[in-house]
Amino acid sequence: MSGSRKEVLSKALKAEIGAASVELKTLFTDDVTGWSPYIAVSGLTALADLAALREAAFSDVVITFRGLDEVGNKAFAEWLVEADHTGPLVLSEDTALEATGRHVQLPGVTVADFREGKSGPSGRTSTTCR
């Protein structure tokens, strides 16, 4: 994937939350890792599985960037995701939150390390949910 780290991170976040249709392997390394308050992922397959679960749980997904920058081999994004909760949100093998029909807002921050022009294994997401 060519482009600045900011552009790649923007595309990666949009793809990962289901707001854009892009092959994740063009944006993330095979050994990508990430975490949020309710889940941790390790590897591209796990990230793709998580993206599929989110796509099933949310519709009308929009991401707004409040800040987007890069320094050295890192890119940083402060964002707000808004979506409608229209499907089950799987939290674990034993736990799923059934669709509420509510419009949700999920603010967060992502810090991504880059390797080979892609978001690499040290990508971190910190999310605060309302």
Side-chain angles (χ1 to χ4, degrees):
M1 170 65 63
S2 62
S4 74
R5 287 174 177 79
K6 291 189 300 188
E7 291 169 343
V8 173
L9 180 56
S10 173
K11 289 176 186 177
L13 289 169
K14 289 176 185 176
E16 196 270 331
I17 64 163
S21 181
V22 177
E23 285 285 328
L24 294 180
K25 66 182 177 183
T26 65
L27 300 165
F28 296 96
T29 59
D30 289 338
D31 58 349
V32 63
T33 60
W35 62 267
S36 72
Y38 83 95
I39 197 161
V41 294
S42 181
L44 190 55
T45 300
L47 182 64
D49 291 346
L50 177 60
L53 290 174
R54 288 183 182 158
E55 191 171 325
F58 299 103
S59 59
D60 299 320
V61 179
V62 175
I63 187 169
T64 305
F65 292 99
R66 295 176 169 174
L68 190 57
D69 206 352
E70 63 183 275
V71 176
N73 211 33
K74 295 183 185 290
F76 310 87
E78 180 182 2
W79 44 263
L80 174 68
V81 171
E82 295 187 72
D84 297 325
H85 182 204
T86 54
L89 176 60
V90 177
L91 302 174
S92 71
E93 288 183 18
D94 302 326
T95 307
L97 177 63
E98 293 303 318
T100 62
R102 295 179 64 189
H103 185 76
V104 296
Q105 295 182 333
L106 307 167
V109 173
T110 298
V111 178
D113 295 319
F114 280 77
R115 185 177 72 227
E116 301 166 11
K118 300 177 185 180
S119 184
S122 300
R124 298 174 296 280
T125 300
S126 174
T127 308
T128 304
C129 301
R130 293 184 197 175

